[in-house]
């Protein structure tokens, strides 16, 4: 399996273990990209307990108390409120917004491989921003998603 360096490899195995994704190619392909030192170090390896994409946008969690309609028991759930700018777009975290366009496109690739509902990824556009190393990362991420972790 191709890794840009030893840190990338170490970070990858930490994330795969954290997300319990040894047998999940969707998670593994995203973990492979998030493990890149340029990305991983910006978050100290903490991408989110609820999912690996929650680190990209600013949000606050708040507790909401409700009453069960049938049992009348009180229930508490956590509601996530994303910060919005004046145009209604979600506000990016510094860790995400300061990445180069090539790395941002890799993250969108990972998100798309993880869950195809992340449809902001454009391969032709991304290829124009990647050098040889990130092309190799792209190729390996696709192979991981296809569950073919060979060079």
């Amino acid at each position: 399996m191709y890794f840009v360096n030893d840190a990338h490899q170490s970070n990858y195995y930490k994330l795969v273990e954290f997300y319990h994704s040894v047998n999940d190619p969707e998670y593994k392909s995203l973990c492979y990209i998030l493990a890149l030192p340029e990305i991983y170090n910006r978050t100290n390896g903490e991408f989110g307990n609820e999912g690996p994409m929650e680190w990209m946008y600013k949000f606050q969690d708040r507790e909401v108390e409700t009453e069960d309609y049938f049992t009348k028991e009180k229930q508490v759930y956590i509601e996530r409120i994303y910060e919005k700018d004046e145009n209604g777009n979600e506000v990016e975290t510094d860790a995400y917004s300061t990445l180069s366009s090539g790395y941002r496109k890799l993250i969108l690739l990972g998100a798309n491989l993880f869950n195809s509902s992340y449809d902001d990824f454009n391969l032709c556009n991304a290829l124009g921003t990647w050098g040889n190393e990130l092309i190799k990362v792209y190729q390996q991420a696709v192979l991981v998603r296809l569950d073919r972790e060979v060079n």
Side-chain angles (χ1 to χ4, degrees):
M1 192 164 159
Y2 173 77
F3 293 100
V4 298
N5 57 30
D6 290 341
H8 183 204
Q9 183 175 9
S10 174
N11 296 343
Y12 170 72
Y13 289 114
K14 287 176 193 172
L15 288 173
V16 166
E17 183 178 325
F18 179 80
Y19 288 111
H20 309 288
S21 58
V22 172
N23 297 314
D24 187 334
E26 290 89 357
Y27 261 99
K28 285 171 63 175
S29 60
L30 179 56
C31 288
Y32 175 78
I33 291 170
L34 296 179
L36 287 161
E38 181 69 20
I39 299 168
Y40 188 92
N41 293 341
R42 290 170 181 264
T43 66
N44 297 315
E46 297 177 16
F47 294 97
N49 293 326
E50 298 297 319
M53 302 307 294
E54 68 183 38
W55 67 280
M56 295 170 57
Y57 299 99
K58 294 181 180 182
F59 64 86
Q60 292 183 2
D61 288 337
R62 73 173 180 192
E63 287 186 359
V64 176
E65 192 172 295
T66 62
E67 185 177 282
D68 183 271
Y69 180 78
F70 297 106
T71 66
K72 303 299 183 198
E73 290 181 19
K74 297 214 184 276
Q75 299 174 331
V76 176
Y77 69 93
I78 304 298
E79 180 180 57
R80 176 154 294 163
I81 311 293
Y82 284 91
E83 189 176 322
K84 305 268 185 173
D85 65 15
E86 61 277 354
N87 297 319
N89 299 315
E90 294 175 346
V91 176
E92 297 174 346
T93 62
D94 289 340
Y96 180 64
S97 68
T98 58
L99 282 166
S100 72
S101 63
Y103 278 95
R104 289 168 61 96
K105 288 176 183 11
L106 272 177
I107 292 166
L108 293 176
L109 164 69
N112 189 269
L113 293 172
F114 173 68
N115 179 345
S116 63
S117 67
Y118 287 100
D119 59 1
D120 291 337
F121 179 69
N122 179 315
L123 180 58
C124 287
N125 186 298
L127 289 172
T129 67
W130 295 336
N132 289 338
E133 184 174 89
L134 295 186
I135 292 286
K136 289 178 185 176
V137 169
Y138 154 72
Q139 291 171 323
Q140 185 63 62
V142 171
L143 289 173
V144 170
R145 176 61 178 84
L146 293 172
D147 210 11
R148 299 180 192 145
E149 296 181 29
V150 296
N151 280 334

